[in-house]
Amino acid sequence: MQDTDYSIVQRILEGDSNAFSEIVNNYKKAVFSLCYRMVHNQEEAEDLAQEVFIKAYNHLSKYNPQFKFSTWILKIATNTTIDFVRKKKVETLPLDEEISTKQEGASAEIIFFHKENKKTIEDAIKALPIEYRSLIVLFHQNGLSYNEISEHLNIPLSKVKNRLHRARSILKDTLQNVKKEESQWTAKQVQI
C-alpha cells in the first residue's frame, strides 16, 4: 500500500531521511515541468528543481496537512522560479511545447502556418509579466483551480481572478491577428 504524502512527511520528520526519496519520486516531474516552462532552460530548471526539493526538505515541519502536498511543493517551486526569473530576467517556454503541429496528411503550408501561429502564441506568453505568466502556467498547464492558485501563491482569490483575466485579455489583444489570419487562410483553402 502506498503511503500518503502526510505519512511520508511524518516518517521523515521522525528521522527516516531516506523516505524523502519517495517525495522526490512522486513530484520530480511536476516540479521540473513547472520550472522548465518558466525558464526555458533544462540545466536551470534542473538546478531550480533541486533547490525546490532542498527547500521542501528543510521546511517539512511547516507543511500543513490540511492542504494538498502537491500544492505546497508547487508553491515552493513557483516562488523559487519567480525569484530566479526576476533576478535573471530570462525568457520562458511556451505552455504548449509538447503539442505537435504535424498532422497526418498535412501539407507543408498547413504545418508552416501552424508553426508560425504557435511561435506567435509562445512569444505573446513570453512577453507577459512574470506574475501573469506564472498564473497562466499554473492554471492552463498544471491544471490548478483558482482556489489552489490562491493558496499556492498566498494571494487573495480575487487577485488570482483579476490577474488571470488581465493575462488573458493581453493575450487576446496580442493574438487577435492570429485568429483573423487563420480564418482568412482557412477560408481561402476551402475555396481552392
Side-chain angles (χ1 to χ4, degrees):
M1 182 176 169
Q2 188 176 359
D3 285 342
T4 65
D5 291 331
Y6 181 66
S7 66
I8 296 170
V9 169
Q10 288 303 93
R11 286 180 20 224
I12 296 166
L13 293 175
E14 291 169 2
D16 183 2
S17 58
N18 292 330
F20 193 70
S21 64
E22 293 178 53
I23 295 289
V24 173
N25 287 334
N26 291 342
Y27 293 100
K28 64 184 174 186
K29 287 181 183 177
V31 168
F32 174 79
S33 177
L34 183 127
C35 296
Y36 185 71
R37 290 180 180 284
M38 292 177 73
V39 298
H40 195 191
N41 179 295
Q42 184 168 348
E43 288 179 22
E44 289 174 346
E46 288 170 354
D47 290 345
L48 285 165
Q50 185 173 11
E51 185 178 340
V52 167
F53 285 111
I54 291 169
K55 286 181 179 180
Y57 183 82
N58 290 332
H59 294 94
L60 274 178
S61 60
K62 295 180 182 178
Y63 167 63
N64 182 349
Q66 179 181 0
F67 303 105
K68 290 199 290 189
F69 188 83
S70 61
T71 301
W72 184 75
I73 198 159
L74 289 176
K75 178 178 182 177
I76 294 171
T78 301
N79 291 340
T80 301
T81 306
I82 287 174
D83 289 345
F84 175 81
V85 169
R86 283 183 178 152
K87 288 177 188 171
K88 297 288 184 178
K89 301 202 188 275
V90 295
E91 297 272 318
T92 62
L93 177 69
L95 294 176
D96 60 349
E97 182 196 58
E98 73 278 352
I99 296 174
S100 174
T101 56
K102 292 187 179 181
Q103 301 170 2
E104 286 186 34
S107 71
E109 288 176 307
I110 292 171
I111 293 170
F112 174 78
F113 179 75
H114 286 294
K115 281 184 180 179
E116 287 299 308
N117 279 348
K118 181 180 172 191
K119 183 176 181 342
T120 303
I121 292 167
E122 292 169 357
D123 291 344
I125 293 168
K126 287 177 188 177
L128 289 172
I130 188 66
E131 291 81 10
Y132 295 169
R133 192 180 326 138
S134 62
L135 291 175
I136 293 289
V137 169
L138 290 171
F139 185 81
H140 291 286
Q141 198 274 323
N142 287 49
L144 296 182
S145 69
Y146 290 150
N147 288 332
E148 289 172 324
I149 294 171
S150 172
E151 183 182 299
H152 180 78
L153 295 177
N154 198 26
I155 59 176
L157 183 61
S158 60
K159 191 174 260 189
V160 170
K161 290 179 179 179
N162 286 338
R163 285 183 180 175
L164 267 172
H165 178 74
R166 279 192 216 127
R168 289 178 185 136
S169 293
I170 291 168
L171 289 174
K172 182 180 176 185
D173 291 344
T174 305
L175 300 172
Q176 188 174 13
N177 289 335
V178 171
K179 185 156 178 78
K180 284 181 186 175
E181 288 174 16
E182 184 173 354
S183 297
Q184 291 171 354
W185 188 87
T186 304
K188 190 176 181 182
Q189 290 302 308
V190 170
Q191 292 174 1
I192 291 176

